[in-house]
Short mmCIF file of all heavy atoms in Angstrom, two decimals:
data_model
loop_
_atom_site.label_atom_id
_atom_site.label_comp_id
_atom_site.label_asym_id
_atom_site.label_seq_id
_atom_site.Cartn_x
_atom_site.Cartn_y
_atom_site.Cartn_z
N HIS T 31 125.41 158.46 17.67
CA HIS T 31 125.58 159.65 16.85
C HIS T 31 127.05 160.01 16.75
O HIS T 31 127.75 160.13 17.76
CB HIS T 31 124.81 160.85 17.46
CG HIS T 31 123.35 160.61 17.50
ND1 HIS T 31 122.56 160.58 16.37
CD2 HIS T 31 122.54 160.35 18.54
CE1 HIS T 31 121.31 160.34 16.72
NE2 HIS T 31 121.24 160.17 18.04
N PHE T 32 127.53 160.14 15.54
CA PHE T 32 128.89 160.54 15.24
C PHE T 32 128.90 161.90 14.56
O PHE T 32 128.10 162.12 13.64
CB PHE T 32 129.58 159.53 14.30
CG PHE T 32 130.08 158.29 14.97
CD1 PHE T 32 129.24 157.21 15.15
CD2 PHE T 32 131.38 158.20 15.40
CE1 PHE T 32 129.67 156.04 15.73
CE2 PHE T 32 131.87 157.04 16.01
CZ PHE T 32 130.98 155.96 16.18
N LEU T 33 129.79 162.76 14.97
CA LEU T 33 130.03 164.00 14.24
C LEU T 33 131.05 163.72 13.16
O LEU T 33 131.98 162.98 13.36
CB LEU T 33 130.59 165.10 15.17
CG LEU T 33 129.73 165.52 16.35
CD1 LEU T 33 130.51 166.59 17.16
CD2 LEU T 33 128.39 166.05 15.90
N HIS T 34 130.88 164.34 11.98
CA HIS T 34 131.85 164.23 10.92
C HIS T 34 132.79 165.45 10.98
O HIS T 34 132.31 166.59 10.89
CB HIS T 34 131.16 164.15 9.54
CG HIS T 34 132.09 164.14 8.39
ND1 HIS T 34 131.79 164.71 7.19
CD2 HIS T 34 133.32 163.57 8.24
CE1 HIS T 34 132.80 164.53 6.35
NE2 HIS T 34 133.73 163.84 6.96
N VAL T 35 134.05 165.19 11.16
CA VAL T 35 135.04 166.29 11.28
C VAL T 35 135.96 166.23 10.05
O VAL T 35 136.93 165.47 10.01
CB VAL T 35 135.89 166.15 12.57
CG1 VAL T 35 136.85 167.32 12.75
CG2 VAL T 35 134.96 165.98 13.79
N PRO T 36 135.65 167.01 9.02
CA PRO T 36 136.47 167.01 7.80
C PRO T 36 137.69 167.90 7.91
O PRO T 36 137.57 169.07 8.23
CB PRO T 36 135.51 167.47 6.72
CG PRO T 36 134.51 168.35 7.45
CD PRO T 36 134.45 167.82 8.86
N GLY T 37 138.84 167.32 7.61
CA GLY T 37 140.08 168.12 7.63
C GLY T 37 140.03 169.26 6.65
O GLY T 37 140.63 170.32 6.90
N ASP T 38 139.32 169.09 5.53
CA ASP T 38 139.24 170.18 4.52
C ASP T 38 138.61 171.43 5.12
O ASP T 38 138.98 172.54 4.71
CB ASP T 38 138.39 169.73 3.34
CG ASP T 38 139.15 168.78 2.40
OD1 ASP T 38 140.35 168.61 2.58
OD2 ASP T 38 138.49 168.23 1.49
N ALA T 39 137.73 171.29 6.07
CA ALA T 39 137.12 172.46 6.72
C ALA T 39 138.16 173.31 7.42
O ALA T 39 138.04 174.53 7.47
CB ALA T 39 136.02 172.03 7.67
N PHE T 40 139.15 172.64 7.96
CA PHE T 40 140.23 173.38 8.65
C PHE T 40 141.14 174.07 7.65
O PHE T 40 141.57 175.21 7.86
CB PHE T 40 141.01 172.45 9.56
CG PHE T 40 140.23 172.13 10.82
CD1 PHE T 40 139.19 171.26 10.82
CD2 PHE T 40 140.54 172.78 12.02
CE1 PHE T 40 138.45 170.97 11.93
CE2 PHE T 40 139.81 172.53 13.15
CZ PHE T 40 138.76 171.61 13.13
N LEU T 41 141.44 173.44 6.53
CA LEU T 41 142.24 174.05 5.50
C LEU T 41 141.57 175.33 4.98
O LEU T 41 142.24 176.34 4.75
CB LEU T 41 142.47 173.10 4.32
CG LEU T 41 143.29 173.57 3.18
CD1 LEU T 41 144.72 173.95 3.63
CD2 LEU T 41 143.39 172.52 2.08
N GLU T 42 140.25 175.31 4.91
CA GLU T 42 139.52 176.51 4.47
C GLU T 42 139.60 177.66 5.48
O GLU T 42 139.26 178.79 5.13
CB GLU T 42 138.04 176.11 4.21
CG GLU T 42 137.89 175.21 3.02
CD GLU T 42 136.48 174.64 2.86
OE1 GLU T 42 135.57 175.08 3.61
OE2 GLU T 42 136.30 173.77 2.00
N MET T 43 140.06 177.39 6.69
CA MET T 43 140.18 178.44 7.69
C MET T 43 141.41 179.33 7.43
O MET T 43 141.44 180.46 7.92
CB MET T 43 140.31 177.82 9.08
CG MET T 43 139.10 177.14 9.58
SD MET T 43 139.44 176.43 11.24
CE MET T 43 137.94 175.52 11.47
N LEU T 44 142.35 178.82 6.65
CA LEU T 44 143.52 179.66 6.35
C LEU T 44 143.12 180.91 5.61
O LEU T 44 142.33 180.85 4.66
CB LEU T 44 144.51 178.87 5.48
CG LEU T 44 145.55 178.01 6.12
CD1 LEU T 44 146.44 177.37 5.06
CD2 LEU T 44 146.40 178.75 7.13
N PRO T 45 143.64 182.07 5.98
CA PRO T 45 143.35 183.25 5.23
C PRO T 45 143.96 183.15 3.85
O PRO T 45 144.97 182.44 3.62
CB PRO T 45 144.00 184.37 6.03
CG PRO T 45 144.94 183.73 6.94
CD PRO T 45 144.51 182.32 7.12
N ASP T 46 143.37 183.81 2.87
CA ASP T 46 143.84 183.76 1.50
C ASP T 46 145.33 184.10 1.41
O ASP T 46 146.06 183.55 0.57
CB ASP T 46 143.04 184.71 0.59
CG ASP T 46 141.64 184.20 0.35
OD1 ASP T 46 141.36 183.01 0.61
OD2 ASP T 46 140.78 185.01 -0.08
N ALA T 47 145.80 184.99 2.28
CA ALA T 47 147.18 185.43 2.25
C ALA T 47 148.16 184.27 2.57
O ALA T 47 149.35 184.36 2.23
CB ALA T 47 147.42 186.57 3.24
N MET T 48 147.67 183.22 3.20
CA MET T 48 148.52 182.07 3.56
C MET T 48 148.49 180.97 2.49
O MET T 48 149.23 180.00 2.59
CB MET T 48 148.10 181.49 4.89
CG MET T 48 148.42 182.34 6.10
SD MET T 48 150.22 182.34 6.46
CE MET T 48 150.72 183.88 5.75
N MET T 49 147.65 181.14 1.48
CA MET T 49 147.61 180.23 0.35
C MET T 49 148.71 180.59 -0.61
O MET T 49 148.88 181.78 -0.92
CB MET T 49 146.25 180.21 -0.33
CG MET T 49 145.08 179.81 0.59
SD MET T 49 145.25 178.20 1.34
CE MET T 49 144.72 177.18 -0.03
N ASP T 50 149.48 179.64 -1.04
CA ASP T 50 150.63 179.86 -1.90
C ASP T 50 151.63 180.80 -1.26
O ASP T 50 152.23 181.61 -1.93
CB ASP T 50 150.19 180.37 -3.29
CG ASP T 50 149.53 179.25 -4.07
OD1 ASP T 50 149.98 178.11 -3.99
OD2 ASP T 50 148.56 179.56 -4.81
N HIS T 51 151.76 180.66 0.07
CA HIS T 51 152.73 181.44 0.82
C HIS T 51 153.59 180.47 1.61
O HIS T 51 153.06 179.55 2.22
CB HIS T 51 152.00 182.42 1.77
CG HIS T 51 152.89 183.42 2.42
ND1 HIS T 51 153.71 183.07 3.50
CD2 HIS T 51 153.09 184.72 2.17
CE1 HIS T 51 154.38 184.14 3.88
NE2 HIS T 51 154.03 185.15 3.10
N PRO T 52 154.91 180.67 1.66
CA PRO T 52 155.77 179.73 2.33
C PRO T 52 155.47 179.54 3.81
O PRO T 52 155.79 178.49 4.39
CB PRO T 52 157.18 180.25 2.12
CG PRO T 52 157.02 181.63 1.61
CD PRO T 52 155.66 181.77 1.03
N ASP T 53 154.88 180.51 4.46
CA ASP T 53 154.48 180.35 5.89
C ASP T 53 153.18 179.56 6.05
O ASP T 53 152.92 179.05 7.12
CB ASP T 53 154.34 181.71 6.56
CG ASP T 53 155.64 182.42 6.78
OD1 ASP T 53 156.70 181.74 6.76
OD2 ASP T 53 155.64 183.67 6.93
N GLY T 54 152.39 179.47 4.97
CA GLY T 54 151.13 178.76 5.00
C GLY T 54 151.23 177.45 4.24
O GLY T 54 151.85 176.50 4.72
N ILE T 55 150.64 177.44 3.07
CA ILE T 55 150.72 176.21 2.26
C ILE T 55 150.97 176.59 0.80
O ILE T 55 150.41 177.57 0.30
CB ILE T 55 149.40 175.40 2.38
CG1 ILE T 55 149.54 174.01 1.70
CG2 ILE T 55 148.19 176.18 1.92
CD1 ILE T 55 148.43 173.03 2.01
N VAL T 56 151.81 175.83 0.17
CA VAL T 56 152.19 176.05 -1.24
C VAL T 56 151.92 174.76 -1.97
O VAL T 56 152.31 173.69 -1.54
CB VAL T 56 153.65 176.49 -1.37
CG1 VAL T 56 154.05 176.61 -2.84
CG2 VAL T 56 153.92 177.78 -0.65
N PHE T 57 151.23 174.88 -3.10
CA PHE T 57 150.98 173.75 -4.01
C PHE T 57 151.89 173.95 -5.23
O PHE T 57 151.73 174.93 -5.90
CB PHE T 57 149.53 173.67 -4.42
CG PHE T 57 148.59 173.47 -3.26
CD1 PHE T 57 147.95 174.53 -2.68
CD2 PHE T 57 148.33 172.18 -2.80
CE1 PHE T 57 147.06 174.34 -1.62
CE2 PHE T 57 147.48 171.98 -1.73
CZ PHE T 57 146.83 173.06 -1.16
N LYS T 58 152.81 173.03 -5.46
CA LYS T 58 153.75 173.14 -6.56
C LYS T 58 153.47 172.07 -7.57
O LYS T 58 153.57 170.87 -7.25
CB LYS T 58 155.19 173.05 -6.08
CG LYS T 58 155.68 174.22 -5.32
CD LYS T 58 157.15 174.14 -5.11
CE LYS T 58 157.64 175.41 -4.45
NZ LYS T 58 159.08 175.41 -4.30
N THR T 59 153.15 172.47 -8.79
CA THR T 59 152.87 171.49 -9.85
C THR T 59 154.20 171.09 -10.50
O THR T 59 154.97 171.92 -10.97
CB THR T 59 151.93 172.06 -10.91
OG1 THR T 59 150.71 172.44 -10.30
CG2 THR T 59 151.63 171.05 -12.00
N LEU T 60 154.43 169.77 -10.46
CA LEU T 60 155.62 169.18 -11.06
C LEU T 60 155.18 168.36 -12.28
O LEU T 60 154.19 167.65 -12.20
CB LEU T 60 156.31 168.27 -10.04
CG LEU T 60 156.52 168.83 -8.64
CD1 LEU T 60 156.95 167.73 -7.68
CD2 LEU T 60 157.53 169.95 -8.69
N GLN T 61 155.88 168.48 -13.35
CA GLN T 61 155.55 167.70 -14.54
C GLN T 61 156.33 166.40 -14.49
O GLN T 61 157.56 166.43 -14.34
CB GLN T 61 155.83 168.47 -15.82
CG GLN T 61 154.97 169.68 -16.03
CD GLN T 61 153.48 169.37 -16.04
OE1 GLN T 61 153.07 168.30 -16.51
NE2 GLN T 61 152.69 170.26 -15.50
N THR T 62 155.63 165.29 -14.59
CA THR T 62 156.27 163.97 -14.59
C THR T 62 155.92 163.31 -15.90
O THR T 62 155.02 163.77 -16.63
CB THR T 62 155.79 163.07 -13.43
OG1 THR T 62 154.45 162.69 -13.68
CG2 THR T 62 155.90 163.78 -12.10
N SER T 63 156.59 162.22 -16.22
CA SER T 63 156.31 161.53 -17.46
C SER T 63 154.90 160.94 -17.49
O SER T 63 154.34 160.66 -18.55
CB SER T 63 157.33 160.40 -17.70
OG SER T 63 157.29 159.49 -16.62
#
Side-chain angles (χ1 to χ4, degrees):
H31 298 289
F32 280 86
L33 299 179
H34 177 214
V35 184
D38 284 351
F40 284 77
L41 181 59
E42 292 171 7
M43 292 178 187
L44 272 181
D46 289 344
M48 288 287 100
M49 299 302 281
D50 289 322
H51 189 283
D53 289 339
I55 189 168
V56 175
F57 298 96
K58 288 190 174 183
T59 301
L60 313 169
Q61 293 303 325
T62 71
S63 59

